[in-house]
Amino acid sequence: GEDVEQSLFLSVREGDSSVINCTYTDSSSTYLYWYKQEPGAGLQLLTYIFSNMDMKQDQRLTVLLNKKDKHLSLRIADTQTGDSAIYFCADTNFGNEKLTFGTGTRLTIIP
Amino acid sequence: NAGVTQTPKFQVLKTGQSMTLQCAQDMNHEYMSWYRQDPGMGLRLIHYSVGAGITDQGEVPNGYNVSRSTTEDFPLRLLSAAPSQTSVYFCASSSGTSRVYEQYFGPGTRLTVT
């Protein structure tokens, strides 16, 4: 079956950039997402990218998509303590609302 | 709008007991789903529904039942709880008319089975 993989942990100094990586196996993925989960809460959609795009920028967030390598990354510029959370990548196919989630990457900010 | 609500927030069960986790949404979303979250395993889909009266199995359906009699509600039933069902359970919904298929998540139910 389809697989979405992420590393489990990332530590970054406050003010530096964070880069969270994700690989997926489904070549027919249409939408790829980044969700954020703060402690004790459910997931919230952070940003998404359509598969015909290479890059999407939204304020401090930059999403890069390498379709050939099936690699997705999320860059957070000027990382703040409020960015501490678990970040999940997920994908789906057009017309299908079922999401496949990665394992999540726990981002820890070092003061 | 309250969004997606889940009750209870915490629950402790003994092995063999049954219970129902409640999920409701007030956004008139057709698609609803249940996930379980376990450390290092991400979110795994248990059951989902594309509309009232229609449900289907996800990746890990064994030991769980669902029904969808209304658009708003999507309860998850544990028939005979087992320690392996200790987890955090999330309900989510999305609008079938949304091109992005953004899913809205409830706050979760933390279940412990002893």
Side-chain angles (χ1 to χ4, degrees):
Chain A
E2 192 203 330
D3 203 16
V4 178
E5 293 192 357
Q6 304 175 237
S7 53
L8 291 179
F9 303 100
L10 177 67
S11 295
V12 171
R13 291 207 175 276
E14 190 174 0
D16 287 352
S17 292
S18 306
V19 179
I20 304 170
N21 294 302
C22 171
T23 57
Y24 60 98
T25 58
D26 187 357
S27 57
S28 61
S29 293
T30 309
Y31 292 101
L32 297 114
Y33 307 87
W34 284 103
Y35 278 80
K36 179 182 180 182
Q37 183 184 31
E38 296 187 354
L43 280 70
Q44 280 190 303
L45 181 65
L46 198 57
T47 187
Y48 66 93
I49 190 167
F50 191 51
S51 60
N52 68 351
M53 298 167 66
D54 297 325
M55 185 181 87
K56 180 179 180 181
Q57 189 145 4
D58 184 2
Q59 299 184 336
R60 291 192 298 122
L61 306 178
T62 303
V63 178
L64 295 178
L65 175 60
N66 182 326
K67 251 191 116 170
K68 175 175 162 290
D69 294 337
K70 298 191 185 70
H71 182 266
L72 180 74
S73 69
L74 173 70
R75 179 177 178 269
I76 306 172
D78 187 24
T79 308
Q80 303 298 310
T81 54
D83 296 323
S84 291
I86 302 176
Y87 292 81
F88 291 90
C89 67
D91 71 348
T92 192
N93 301 320
F94 184 74
N96 182 359
E97 292 179 86
K98 285 168 59 179
L99 298 184
T100 300
F101 284 90
T103 53
T105 299
R106 183 181 295 273
L107 176 63
T108 301
I109 312 306
I110 305 164
Chain B
N1 284 356
V4 179
T5 57
Q6 292 183 239
T7 55
K9 282 188 74 70
F10 302 94
Q11 183 71 50
V12 179
L13 289 179
K14 292 190 188 316
T15 297
Q17 287 184 315
S18 63
M19 80 159 294
T20 299
L21 279 62
Q22 301 293 343
C23 173
Q25 52 90 11
D26 60 0
M27 297 173 282
N28 202 32
H29 285 170
E30 291 296 322
Y31 183 86
M32 296 185 74
S33 54
W34 277 102
Y35 296 88
R36 58 177 290 172
Q37 181 180 20
D38 301 292
M41 302 192 74
L43 273 75
R44 293 182 291 169
L45 182 65
I46 305 171
H47 285 285
Y48 66 98
S49 168
V50 298
I54 307 168
T55 63
D56 206 347
Q57 296 181 351
E59 185 186 348
V60 288
N62 291 342
Y64 307 95
N65 270 3
V66 292
S67 59
R68 183 100 179 267
S69 55
T70 66
T71 299
E72 294 78 21
D73 300 298
F74 191 43
L76 178 72
R77 279 181 287 278
L78 280 70
L79 307 172
S80 177
S84 61
Q85 293 178 306
T86 293
S87 189
V88 182
Y89 291 85
F90 288 100
C91 178
S93 72
S94 65
S95 168
T97 59
S98 166
R99 190 169 166 263
V100 178
Y101 305 132
E102 176 179 358
Q103 293 205 11
Y104 294 81
F105 283 79
T109 294
R110 186 175 294 274
L111 176 68
T112 303
V113 182
T114 61

